[in-house]
Amino acid sequence: MSKSLKNYINGQWVESKSNSMLDVINPSTGLSVGKVPSGCKADIVDAAESANQAWEGWRNTPATQRVQYLYKMKALLESHTDEIAAICTLECGKTYAESKAEMTRAVENIEVACGIPTLMQSVFSEDIATGVDEFVIRQPLGVGACISPFNFPIMIPFWFMPYAIACGNTYIVKPSEKVPMTMTRIFELFETLNLPKGVLNMVHGGRETVDAILEHPFIPAISFVGSTPVARHVYQTGTLNGKRVQAQGGAKNAVVVMPDAEPETTVKIIVDSAFGCAGQRCLAASVVITVGEAAEHITPKIIALALSKKTGDGMDSSADMGPVISAESKVRIEKLIQQGIDQGADLLLDGRAVKVSGHENGNFIGPTILGNVVEESEVYKTEIFGPVLSIINVKTLEEAIALINRNRYGNSACIFTRSGAAARKFRHNTMAGNIGVNIGVAAPMAFFPFSGWKESFFGDLHGQSSHAVEFYTQTKVVIERWNEEWSRKF
Ligand code: NAD
């Protein structure tokens, strides 16, 4: 299978105007499974013009009618879950079960966005003075766009797009050029929704396409998810151009294990969190901070369970984790592991030599664990985004919280304990946007915002829930006087 992908603009499949194509690589085999346009400004100009033209009609379509398309969208995704999940695994490498779980998360966001007629309601004060009323109405902004990363090809555009269009905006989705086939298939299905032309568009490409979105005057609202350096660039450039931007960035998530933590549950959740999706989750546990004697009884159990995890092709139902996304990524991660060892960490489990039979060119790394990691080391400071878990031992909860708070990232932090007081102190004092208590991947449900602090997020309103509704609407404050005497004169 080798397919040249097209853009979806103004209700039609069109060739990109860029003259170069990139290979889409199956990370399990190293083989090309498709070709994607490298992208260009002209494609964004076409999509923005089409979306802008469609906006007038769409914003005047009642919200109750707009959400009817979302109900159909949900049914379409649910009835094609297996097929879409298989494409996701093919180009992204994660296991088939992980791809299916991602679909559930996407659908949950559509379900929440179906409540837009209620979610867009606002406040009304009668008689702020005699015969004068004041109220707020929420209106769409125009054309919105989302720029997504490789690690959740299905889910991430749904943190934004269903809310944006249900609120009356038109939209452009820019998938990651590393995993463009999944969203292409989803758009093929969406063609049958018969949305008005131009309401929903998809443009492929990389950096040039992103920069064109950041500059285009017809696109006032941009949602980004990806690495911190690019999130910063998108936020700075977009806002400089007068746009509202929400940019979710990288992470270095810590899990604190207290001496009283229930060992079996704690270890199982930590290992799933660190090595699920081959560690390529923005909520993956990448650092375990053991407090006091937790180090002695938790660390050997983590190693033993991690050792039992099978690395393999995502379509192999016996595999617990797939490959990392690219050959470059594998080299980068292996270099970081070596750097960690050179800077004094203990190599407790080495996944670098893992081999998957019949997949000699796949980007596989097995679960890797580094002990006695120090705060100053590169392996602690850098987001590894691979199946590598660092362990740091501290004496007190206060020390653990201070360590987390000094980290530049603030996406998520979790604690395992049987003490309500310890959990409360952690929740109150830890500087991270998503907090887990006896939870390994504190992924907010669609009816909560997906938070993030410090260099893990640039902006104020996050993806999902009421935050997405606020982000994709602007408020208009109206003050009205209706005088009975005027009416009597006519
Ligand atoms: P990335 O930053 O390389 O790419 C993200 C998007 O930006 C892609 O669509 C890509 O085409 C575009 N892009 C890449 N380089 C660019 C540049 N120089 N200028 C303009 N655009 C550019 O991220 P990735 O490797 O695809 O994804 C992994 C990253 O995403 C990790 O850092 C992970 O933590 C982060 N992530 C964060 C969250 C969150 O909610 N905070 C969720 C998922 C992933």
Side-chain angles (χ1 to χ4, degrees):
M1 174 176 171
S2 191
K3 195 174 164 191
S4 285
L5 303 181
K6 292 182 178 171
N7 293 329
Y8 187 75
I9 297 174
N10 202 29
Q12 285 174 335
W13 291 100
V14 291
E15 300 275 358
S16 165
K17 290 182 176 165
S18 75
N19 44 22
S20 66
M21 302 291 274
L22 306 168
D23 278 310
V24 182
I25 306 288
N26 176 348
S28 279
T29 61
L31 298 174
S32 173
V33 288
K35 301 244 177 228
V36 62
S38 62
C40 65
K41 188 174 175 175
D43 292 343
I44 287 298
V45 170
D46 289 348
E49 281 174 2
S50 136
N52 190 51
Q53 258 184 11
W55 184 48
E56 188 59 24
W58 187 242
R59 72 186 280 266
N60 287 311
T61 303
T64 48
Q65 286 179 30
R66 293 195 299 251
V67 297
Q68 297 310 314
Y69 293 96
L70 297 192
Y71 288 110
K72 291 185 198 146
M73 209 180 246
K74 167 181 154 70
L76 261 180
L77 289 186
E78 283 175 337
S79 59
H80 290 81
T81 295
D82 294 356
E83 181 201 349
I84 295 168
I87 301 172
C88 178
T89 293
L90 178 79
E91 64 179 358
C92 185
K94 62 176 66 174
T95 66
Y96 186 53
E98 287 168 344
S99 294
K100 284 173 100 159
E102 207 189 314
M103 179 67 94
T104 307
R105 288 290 188 162
V107 168
E108 282 167 7
N109 275 282
I110 300 175
E111 288 167 355
V112 175
C114 284
I116 288 293
T118 312
L119 294 168
M120 272 181 88
Q121 284 175 342
S122 213
V123 289
F124 193 113
S125 295
E126 201 178 24
D127 285 326
I128 55 160
T130 307
V132 179
D133 306 326
E134 182 165 353
F135 55 96
V136 171
I137 48 180
R138 288 199 169 276
Q139 295 195 328
L141 296 147
V143 183
C146 88
I147 300 158
S148 50
F150 80 79
N151 65 327
F152 283 100
I154 305 169
M155 174 185 74
I156 285 180
F158 289 88
W159 285 355
F160 315 107
M161 179 268 280
Y163 302 95
I165 63 169
C167 287
N169 302 277
T170 54
Y171 214 69
I172 303 170
V173 174
K174 205 294 287 171
S176 162
E177 68 277 27
K178 291 178 186 146
V179 292
M181 292 167 55
T182 310
M183 196 46 66
T184 302
R185 180 64 191 132
I186 290 174
F187 266 71
E188 281 170 4
L189 296 170
F190 285 176
E191 247 193 311
T192 65
L193 295 172
N194 291 322
L195 270 161
K197 287 182 194 327
V199 168
L200 203 48
N201 307 273
M202 180 188 54
V203 177
H204 289 297
R207 181 183 187 149
E208 203 179 322
T209 311
V210 172
D211 286 340
I213 292 172
L214 299 178
E215 282 163 17
H216 202 288
F218 287 167
I219 307 176
I222 298 169
S223 301
F224 171 89
V225 182
S227 60
T228 289
V230 185
R232 185 184 281 110
H233 162 67
V234 167
Y235 186 77
Q236 287 178 341
T237 313
T239 51
L240 197 66
N241 289 332
K243 299 169 190 304
R244 60 171 71 172
V245 181
Q246 47 181 195
Q248 308 200 189
K252 190 82 191 177
N253 307 309
V255 173
V256 174
V257 183
M258 297 300 285
D260 67 351
E262 197 287 306
E264 303 312 319
T265 323
T266 304
V267 167
K268 187 192 171 310
I269 295 177
I270 287 177
V271 170
D272 285 350
S273 173
F275 304 116
C277 294
Q280 299 171 115
R281 266 194 297 218
C282 68
L283 293 178
S286 55
V287 183
V288 166
I289 306 175
T290 54
V291 176
E293 71 228 35
E296 290 150 44
H297 56 259
I298 290 289
T299 308
K301 288 192 169 77
I302 292 179
I303 299 168
L305 188 59
L307 199 54
S308 74
K309 294 284 165 190
K310 184 180 163 195
T311 307
D313 185 303
M315 290 309 283
D316 170 358
S317 58
S318 67
D320 297 300
M321 53 184 258
V324 296
I325 188 68
S326 64
E328 297 76 48
S329 203
K330 178 172 155 71
V331 170
R332 184 185 57 77
I333 294 165
E334 289 178 344
K335 202 171 142 199
L336 272 162
I337 297 170
Q338 190 55 48
Q339 240 175 327
I341 301 164
D342 295 344
Q343 291 181 332
D346 302 330
L347 183 60
L348 303 178
L349 184 62
D350 189 356
R352 290 175 293 178
V354 79
K355 294 272 178 284
V356 176
S357 169
H359 291 73
E360 283 67 27
N361 294 322
N363 314 316
F364 295 99
I365 306 178
T368 299
I369 303 179
L370 297 170
N372 285 318
V373 170
V374 290
E375 192 181 355
E376 298 70 32
S377 65
E378 210 47 47
V379 80
Y380 177 75
K381 287 190 285 191
T382 310
E383 179 186 36
I384 301 176
F385 223 55
V388 182
L389 182 64
S390 298
I391 302 184
I392 299 187
N393 311 313
V394 299
K395 292 195 181 68
T396 63
L397 173 60
E398 291 70 20
E399 248 183 274
I401 294 173
L403 181 63
I404 296 171
N405 290 353
R406 285 195 297 274
N407 197 288
R408 56 193 278 240
Y409 295 108
N411 209 37
S412 119
C414 303
I415 186 169
F416 285 84
T417 181
R418 280 184 253 208
S419 156
R424 189 184 183 283
K425 180 178 271 187
F426 184 80
R427 159 162 62 85
H428 186 70
N429 292 336
T430 303
M431 293 175 69
N434 301 294
I435 296 288
V437 177
N438 298 319
I439 299 281
V441 181
M445 295 294 288
F447 38 91
F448 284 92
F450 192 108
S451 190
W453 283 19
K454 297 192 274 183
E455 291 188 39
S456 295
F457 182 73
F458 301 87
D460 53 356
L461 294 165
H462 298 86
Q464 301 198 142
S465 76
S466 58
H467 276 223
V469 178
E470 271 191 63
F471 185 80
Y472 279 106
T473 51
Q474 51 196 339
T475 46
K476 190 178 267 179
V477 183
V478 183
I479 306 178
E480 284 185 357
R481 169 176 284 122
W482 294 106
N483 189 318
E484 267 185 58
E485 285 188 16
W486 302 340
S487 317
R488 275 192 223 114
K489 287 183 188 154
F490 288 93

